[in-house]
């Protein structure tokens, strides 16, 4: 009964989304307050209906209702409760329902917190958001219904993909979707502004919180996915440049550019057309990500589905919204004239440079991702684009971004003096060069990647700290604790980027690796660590069988830790997984993987020492914390910005 109610709630949500799309748009065009007012209760109703439907599906998974096809294909009665719950979104249909739930949540949030928006803009934003929900609800109901029943329910299910039965990946999709779908708000604001034909400082203030929230969630989601790949897949890496990984990274880059571009709109009323375009493209990349993971056009460990019919539907949605928004943008571009004037040496110019570098970096990732498809379709040649291309083509733009970022953050608006800014940054510059020289002197016969990466990371961290101190003015430390939260947030985010860059450079430059066959009692030495395989046992898990190694880690004869790498086998799914044994540290990780037994005895055994590995995710945490701290600043909240606009006498219509 609950399942049927969940299905019925989805159909009602489709009808409500249709009303939310049509009625407020007509009302805004005709200036009919009653019709415009329909947007808010419709957004709330859509969220409640989709939320009930999601709860109904979750109930089916928790109670192991194998009369539901989706539960049978993605669950099992012996599965731990956490993975019964996460199994709801560990498949195509359930993940799509989660996508729509988050979309409805953002629409309802705009209704809850957008009371100070001009009525026509609010109505149009909610109508566009409703239109996106309408398209995806239709996609779910007509091609991917999660509530299909089985005529003869089996006694048990087929289990969830073992790779997804992990805490890191359990929470990775919700955060990633909060970022993906959160960018729909920037898209809705952009389309609504194009319909109205007006983009001003108030619009810049309204769109920034939504973009910042989406960027924070994307940062957390990407970091969780990278961390999962690091310790779960057993390959020792943190980023593979997989097409699906790239599909999440491209919106992150464009959202970062949009955040900085919206600042120029708010402060100087410049870059209006460019900012609108970024808002459209950012969500467009999210739609492309949904298409890539569900169309079967690529093969990836992250892919949810391989159904061409679904892919065509998603491609039609992408073309509809992207094509429609870009057509509207082309028609309205002339009306988006900029008022602010600034010199070539100014914060505005540095933000333009920031946007160019981020956009080109995203373009490089996009070209590398789709080029194998283009090559196969256009030239009938199969090829792969891997890490060497991305490292060579992407890295220079990001290095340039890192070098320019501290200078741009301290440059005055409208007109700046580069000499004055550079003088303030001299201590940071000296520290970065000193780190470069020290690391280069310590290492021998190594590439320049490590020293340059640590120099760039130091430059970003020290530059962020210098920027924060400069904002105290002549008051010095006395004013340090009275600065706005957004000042601290920006400092944390920029410093976090520096920490992540330093971690990536250190790991890639100085990683040590050993691959061999190990017998019980054997010891190997790697990068000064003694690693002994003390024993291998067979362990029965709740829904898997594990070959578990006991590994003793020592240095200079002193024991440091005992690691337990595993090779698991899930009988129901008939799939193996690898669980790395990792001794985490601030300056390094010792990473051990046990493989299959060998014919001559012993086990395949891989060992890595990974310098600065945890700096990668530590930097991501700092970036997310910085974004969240900025988001908590009252100046970033929609109501606060709107009150300021009202106080300045800007008309609502």
């Amino acid at each position: 009964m609950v399942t049927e109610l969940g299905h019925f709630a989805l159909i009602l949500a489709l009808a409500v989304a249709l009303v939310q799309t049509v009625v407020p748009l007509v009302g805004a065009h005709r200036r009919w307050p009653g019709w415009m007012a329909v947007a808010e209760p419709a957004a709330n109703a859509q969220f409640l209906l989709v939320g009930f439907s999601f709860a109904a599906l979750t109930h089916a998974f928790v109670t192991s209702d194998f009369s539901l096809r989706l539960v049978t294909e993605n669950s099992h009665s012996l599965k731990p409760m956490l993975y019964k719950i996460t199994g709801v979104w560990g498949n195509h249909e359930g993940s799509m329902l989660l996508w729509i739930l988050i979309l409805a949540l953002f629409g309802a949030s705009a209704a809850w917190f957008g009371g100070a928006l001009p009525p026509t803009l609010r109505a149009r934003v909610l109508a566009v958001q409703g239109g996106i929900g309408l398209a995806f609800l239709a996609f779910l109901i007509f091609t991917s219904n999660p509530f299909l029943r089985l005529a003869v329910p089996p006694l048990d299910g087929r289990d969830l993909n073992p790779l997804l039965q992990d805490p890191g990946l359990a929470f990775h999709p919700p955060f990633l979707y909060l970022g993906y779908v959160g960018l729909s708000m920037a898209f809705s604001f952009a389309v609504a502004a194009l319909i109205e034909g007006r983009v001003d400082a108030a619009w810049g203030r309204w769109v920034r919180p939504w973009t910042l929230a989406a960027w924070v969630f994307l940062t957390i989601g990407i970091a969780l996915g990278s961390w999962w790949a690091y310790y779960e897949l057993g390959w020792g890496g943190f980023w593979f440049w997989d097409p699906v990984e790239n599909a999440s990274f491209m919106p992150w880059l464009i959202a970062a550019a949009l955040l900085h571009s919206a600042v120029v709109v708010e402060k100087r009323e410049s870059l209006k057309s460019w900012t609108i375009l970024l808002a459209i493209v950012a969500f467009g990349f999210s739609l492309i990500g949904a298409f890539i993971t569900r169309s079967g056009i690529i093969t990836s460990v992250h892919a949810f589905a391989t159904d061409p019919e679904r892919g065509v539907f998603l491609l039609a949605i992408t073309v509809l919204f992207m094509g429609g928004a870009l057509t509207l943008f082309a028609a309205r571009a002339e009306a988006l004239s900029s008022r602010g004037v600034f010199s070539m040496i100014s914060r505005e110019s540095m933000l333009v440079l920031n946007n160019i570098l981020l956009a080109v970096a995203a373009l490089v990732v996009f070209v590398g991702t789709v080029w194998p498809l283009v090559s196969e379709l256009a030239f009938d040649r199969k090829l792969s684009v891997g890490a060497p291309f991305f490292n060579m083509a992407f890295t220079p733009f990001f290095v340039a971004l890192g070098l320019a970022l501290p200078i741009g953050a301290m440059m005055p608006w409208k007109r700046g003096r580069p000499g004055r800014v550079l003088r303030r940054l001299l201590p940071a510059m000296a520290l970065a060069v000193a780190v470069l020289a020290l690391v280069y002197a310590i290492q021998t016969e190594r590439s320049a990647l490590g020293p340059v990466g640590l120099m760039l990371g130091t430059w970003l961290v020290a530059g962020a700290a210098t920027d924060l101190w400069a904002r105290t003015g002549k008051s010095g430390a006395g004013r340090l604790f009275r600065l706005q939260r957004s000042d601290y947030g920006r400092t944390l985010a920029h410093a976090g980027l520096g920490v992540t860059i330093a971690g990536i450079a250190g790991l890639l430059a100085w990683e040590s690796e050993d691959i061999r066959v190990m017998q019980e009692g054997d010891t190997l030495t790697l990068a000064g660590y003694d690693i002994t395989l003390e024993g291998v046992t067979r362990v029965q898990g709740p829904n898997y069988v594990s070959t578990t190694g006991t590994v003793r880690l020592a240095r200079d004869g002193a024991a440091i830790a005992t690691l337990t790498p595993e090779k698991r086998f899930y009988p129901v799914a008939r799939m193996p997984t690898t669980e790395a044994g990792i001794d985490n540290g601030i300056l390094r990780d010792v990473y051990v993987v046990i493989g299959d037994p060998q014919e001559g005895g012993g086990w395949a055994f891989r060992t890595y020492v990974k310098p600065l590995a945890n700096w990668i995710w530590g930097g991501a945490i700092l970036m997310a914390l910085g974004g969240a701290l900025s988001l908590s600043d009252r100046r970033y909240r929609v109501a606060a910005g709107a009150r300021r606009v009202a106080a300045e006498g800007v008309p609502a219509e």
Side-chain angles (χ1 to χ4, degrees):
M1 181 65 180
V2 174
T3 300
E4 278 68 30
L5 288 174
H7 189 190
F8 186 60
L10 267 188
I11 298 171
L12 280 180
L14 180 70
V16 170
L18 179 60
V19 172
Q20 182 183 339
T21 303
V22 176
V23 175
L25 274 182
V26 175
H29 180 69
R30 297 289 188 179
R31 297 296 196 270
W32 293 343
W35 285 46
M36 288 191 287
V38 169
E40 295 176 36
N44 289 326
Q46 185 186 160
F47 172 62
L48 291 174
L49 287 167
V50 176
F52 179 82
S53 181
F54 188 82
L57 186 62
T58 303
H59 176 267
F61 271 85
V62 169
T63 58
S64 295
D65 181 3
F66 296 118
S67 68
L68 207 62
R69 190 179 72 179
L70 195 66
V71 179
T72 300
E73 293 178 348
N74 295 279
S75 191
H76 192 274
S77 59
L78 296 178
K79 194 165 61 172
M81 181 56 67
L82 172 63
Y83 303 128
K84 286 186 178 181
I85 296 172
T86 59
V88 176
W89 56 80
N91 55 83
H92 165 68
E93 291 86 353
S95 67
M96 205 71 251
L97 182 56
L98 176 63
W99 172 289
I100 295 168
L101 175 64
I102 294 172
L103 185 69
L105 171 62
F106 273 99
S109 298
W112 300 336
F113 303 114
L117 291 168
T120 54
L121 181 63
R122 182 173 66 250
R124 284 168 173 147
V125 167
L126 291 174
V128 175
Q129 198 72 7
I132 300 170
L134 176 65
F136 278 97
L137 280 165
F139 170 73
L140 185 68
I141 292 170
F142 295 121
T143 72
S144 311
N145 186 356
F147 294 106
L148 294 178
R149 291 283 196 179
L150 291 174
V152 182
L155 294 176
D156 219 327
R158 300 176 186 172
D159 207 359
L160 178 67
N161 185 336
L163 289 174
L164 305 181
Q165 296 186 41
D166 179 86
L169 208 67
F171 300 105
H172 162 66
F175 277 107
L176 203 61
Y177 288 1
L178 282 164
Y180 270 153
V181 182
L183 291 173
S184 67
M185 286 304 303
F187 177 86
S188 296
F189 268 95
V191 172
L194 287 172
I195 294 172
E196 293 208 348
R198 190 184 73 177
V199 176
D200 53 17
W203 181 89
R205 276 191 292 274
W206 289 323
V207 79
R208 283 177 69 195
W210 301 106
T211 306
L212 182 57
W215 182 85
V216 168
F217 287 128
L218 261 180
T219 303
I220 297 171
I222 291 171
L224 282 173
S226 172
W227 179 55
W228 167 80
Y230 175 70
Y231 72 79
E232 173 68 20
L233 298 183
W235 63 298
F238 62 93
W239 193 261
F240 192 65
W241 294 108
D242 179 275
V244 178
E245 292 175 341
N246 296 346
S248 65
F249 191 39
M250 289 183 287
W252 185 87
L253 292 169
I254 298 298
L258 175 58
L259 277 174
H260 293 85
S261 180
V263 175
V264 183
V265 175
E266 179 185 349
K267 300 292 186 182
R268 303 291 302 151
E269 293 209 21
S270 296
L271 302 184
K272 295 179 182 180
S273 297
W274 174 249
T275 304
I276 291 287
L277 183 60
L278 285 177
I280 294 170
V281 171
F283 184 58
F285 274 128
S286 296
L287 294 176
I288 291 171
F291 170 70
I292 287 176
T293 55
R294 291 170 168 83
S295 64
I297 198 169
I298 62 157
T299 301
S300 168
V301 69
H302 306 82
F304 276 112
T306 57
D307 187 345
E309 180 184 348
R310 292 169 177 169
V312 171
F313 203 123
L314 283 170
L315 184 60
I317 292 175
T318 303
V319 170
L320 172 66
F321 284 101
M322 287 294 292
L326 291 174
T327 301
L328 185 59
F329 173 78
R332 294 284 196 176
E334 292 183 2
L336 305 179
S337 59
S338 298
R339 299 179 187 176
V341 179
F342 52 87
S343 71
M344 289 294 293
I345 307 297
S346 63
R347 181 174 295 187
E348 293 94 329
S349 294
M350 294 302 294
L351 288 171
V352 170
L353 176 62
N354 159 288
N355 272 226
I356 291 172
L357 292 171
L358 284 169
V360 173
L363 178 63
V364 167
V365 177
F366 178 72
V367 170
T369 302
V370 303
W371 186 249
L373 301 176
V374 173
S375 176
E376 185 171 358
L377 292 173
F379 309 112
D380 197 25
R381 292 181 57 191
K382 291 189 176 182
L383 54 85
S384 61
V385 177
F389 166 80
F390 289 106
N391 292 339
M392 291 183 64
F394 176 84
T395 303
F397 296 105
F398 226 71
V399 170
L401 177 69
L403 291 173
L405 196 151
I407 299 172
M410 296 188 64
M411 191 70 71
W413 292 102
K414 195 172 183 180
R415 185 181 300 275
R417 298 177 182 177
R420 185 177 180 181
V421 173
L422 290 174
R423 279 195 297 272
R424 287 185 172 184
L425 284 168
L426 272 178
M429 201 179 304
L431 180 60
V433 172
V435 168
L436 171 67
L438 177 64
V439 175
Y440 188 77
I442 291 174
Q443 75 169 26
T444 56
E445 298 182 1
R446 301 265 188 164
S447 72
L449 174 63
V452 170
L454 259 66
M455 179 204 71
L456 187 59
T458 304
W459 166 245
L460 282 165
V461 173
T466 303
D467 177 34
L468 185 68
W469 181 259
R471 293 178 183 277
T472 63
K474 296 181 180 179
S475 302
R479 189 167 177 260
L480 187 61
F481 298 102
R482 298 196 301 273
L483 294 173
Q484 298 285 347
R485 293 178 192 174
S486 58
D487 294 327
Y488 286 103
R490 179 175 54 254
T491 299
L492 272 179
H494 290 176
L497 179 62
V499 172
T500 294
I501 288 175
I504 292 172
L507 190 152
L508 294 179
W510 302 317
E511 178 184 68
S512 300
E513 178 183 2
D514 183 277
I515 302 176
R516 65 175 68 189
V517 175
M518 294 275 284
Q519 306 279 352
E520 292 187 32
D522 285 355
T523 298
L524 67 89
T525 300
L526 182 66
Y529 293 94
D530 297 318
I531 299 156
T532 304
L533 178 60
E534 294 187 332
V536 179
T537 56
R538 187 178 178 85
V539 177
Q540 178 65 53
N543 61 334
Y544 61 84
V545 178
S546 168
T547 300
T548 303
T550 301
V551 179
R552 180 177 179 271
L553 177 65
R555 189 180 182 103
D556 299 327
I560 297 174
T562 299
L563 307 180
T564 54
E566 297 182 58
K567 186 77 172 182
R568 294 179 179 177
F569 181 75
Y570 290 78
V572 176
R574 304 197 61 79
M575 280 185 62
T577 66
T578 301
E579 304 287 327
I582 306 174
D583 180 51
N584 299 110
I586 296 176
L587 297 179
R588 58 89 186 120
D589 277 0
V590 177
Y591 184 106
V592 177
V593 177
I594 191 169
D596 297 322
Q598 303 299 296
E599 290 185 5
W603 286 265
F605 202 78
R606 283 183 292 142
T607 310
Y608 304 88
V609 176
K610 297 177 172 292
L612 308 184
N614 289 297
W615 289 30
I616 299 171
W617 302 287
I621 292 171
L622 286 178
M623 283 189 275
L625 284 175
L629 192 59
S630 292
L631 195 61
S632 70
D633 192 314
R634 63 180 180 83
R635 297 181 300 171
Y636 279 71
R637 292 197 290 269
V638 172
R643 282 195 296 270
R644 186 190 308 175
V645 171
E648 293 171 356
V650 177
E653 297 291 331

